Amino acid sequence: MTALERPRSLSELFSLRRAGVTFVAGGTDWIIRNRGRLSDDAVVADLSLIDEMRGISLDGGYLRIGALETMTSLHRSALVRKYASALADAAYVMGSEQIRNRATVGGNVANSSPAADTPPALAALGAEAVVASAEGKRRVPVEEIVGRNKNNLAEGELIKEFIIPADAERISAFLKVGSRSQVSISRINVAAAARPQGGLYKEGRLFVGTLGVAARRCAAAEAAMGAPGLEKSLPEALCALAAEAIPGRPTLPYKQSALRALAQDLCAKLAERRAADE
């Protein structure tokens, strides 16, 4: 029979010392993928009781977000909306209200779906994941964790929390296009963060999701953010990224069209947030 463990701390979790333990947080994706497929000797560790993996706080110039924080708590957090508005945007449009109440940010990143919403937002914000194991902890940029339907964590590692630079002068935004207006999986999404300077944006970071793997950085788009003519150059840069990432695919014309629209909306959203801060 499948064994269920419910540790109350990381030390208790890592003391299990069983090979092949599966870590589960909100379980919104995992249950669908694994229902009826677990072997009799499988060991599942429910992480939901580990308080060390919860919380949203400011600490030494950084915003700390526990990996067990849900999409609902991210969107409602005044700290996240102030210092990481792209992440609040992404959390708000992910799935249904029931899913947002349970799905965790750590699970969304670790699941590494190309259509995931939080990895591009976190990457644009320069977030690092604090990865924990029985051997200790290490910090890894979020974009280095996500793969294609499989994360790059080693056996026995999990994401404990995320660390985001808390820059009050930086603005950020996330947008996506899905198959319908509600409860929609992203067909294409984009996240950007930058410091406004005059009519331009400096120190820009921009990531696009669903182009093969989640959170693909676009250096040309970042350069466009710091130069005049953003409304024209940004759509061109994103369309070029799509052509490079998925050349010859039947979906390329659709994704380029969607990226043009998202680029225009992103410019408007960044301008609106810049004006609100002035």
Side-chain angles (χ1 to χ4, degrees):
M1 177 179 292
T2 300
L4 175 65
E5 301 284 355
R6 303 198 73 196
R8 293 181 174 274
S9 67
L10 287 175
S11 60
E12 184 179 342
L13 171 67
F14 295 135
S15 70
L16 295 176
R17 300 195 179 281
R18 299 190 189 182
V21 176
T22 298
F23 303 141
V24 177
T28 53
D29 287 316
W30 183 87
I31 290 174
I32 294 172
R33 187 171 60 244
N34 293 280
R35 182 179 295 165
R37 298 179 183 177
L38 292 177
S39 63
D40 289 342
D41 60 350
V43 180
V44 176
D46 174 9
L47 307 178
S48 63
L49 300 181
I50 303 179
D51 288 340
E52 300 161 73
M53 297 176 65
R54 297 189 182 277
I56 300 173
S57 61
L58 282 178
D59 184 10
Y62 289 88
L63 179 64
R64 174 199 169 273
I65 299 175
L68 292 183
E69 290 301 317
T70 65
M71 299 300 128
T72 297
S73 66
L74 293 180
H75 174 67
R76 290 179 177 176
S77 168
L79 287 175
V80 175
R81 291 198 302 270
K82 179 176 181 180
Y83 294 106
S85 51
L87 182 58
D89 294 343
Y92 183 66
V93 297
M94 200 203 88
S96 65
E97 183 176 1
Q98 295 93 328
I99 292 294
R100 292 193 295 271
N101 286 342
R102 186 160 185 86
T104 66
V105 61
N108 197 233
V109 172
N111 191 50
S112 289
S113 166
D117 291 326
T118 62
L122 286 163
L125 292 163
E128 291 184 306
V130 177
V131 177
S133 69
E135 284 68 45
K137 299 173 186 175
R138 61 189 181 101
R139 287 171 59 161
V140 187
V142 165
E143 60 267 33
E144 294 182 13
I145 291 178
V146 292
R148 182 178 176 85
N149 294 316
K150 188 179 188 305
N151 63 57
N152 295 315
L153 300 176
E155 179 72 24
E157 288 188 325
L158 56 75
I159 300 172
K160 175 183 180 290
E161 61 191 5
F162 296 93
I163 306 296
I164 302 173
D167 185 350
E169 296 182 10
R170 180 180 61 180
I171 59 174
S172 64
F174 169 93
L175 292 166
K176 78 174 186 178
V177 172
S179 58
R180 52 190 183 271
S181 60
Q182 295 291 327
V183 197
S184 182
I185 295 174
S186 289
R187 289 189 173 178
I188 194 81
N189 58 36
V190 61
R195 294 166 61 96
Q197 190 173 100
L200 306 177
Y201 298 96
K202 300 299 183 181
E203 302 175 32
R205 290 174 61 89
L206 188 147
F207 285 76
V208 179
T210 78
L211 295 180
V213 296
R216 184 184 293 268
R217 192 170 188 177
C218 184
E222 293 173 352
M225 294 177 72
L230 177 63
E231 291 78 6
K232 180 179 179 180
S233 57
L234 185 61
E236 292 175 351
L238 294 184
C239 287
L241 176 68
E244 175 189 332
I246 51 174
R249 295 223 188 143
T251 58
L252 179 57
Y254 165 78
K255 292 209 169 184
Q256 288 183 315
S257 176
L259 280 168
R260 287 190 186 95
L262 283 178
Q264 294 168 352
D265 290 345
L266 182 65
C267 290
K269 196 164 190 175
L270 289 173
E272 178 184 331
R273 287 183 170 166
R274 180 181 64 203
D277 288 345
E278 291 176 351

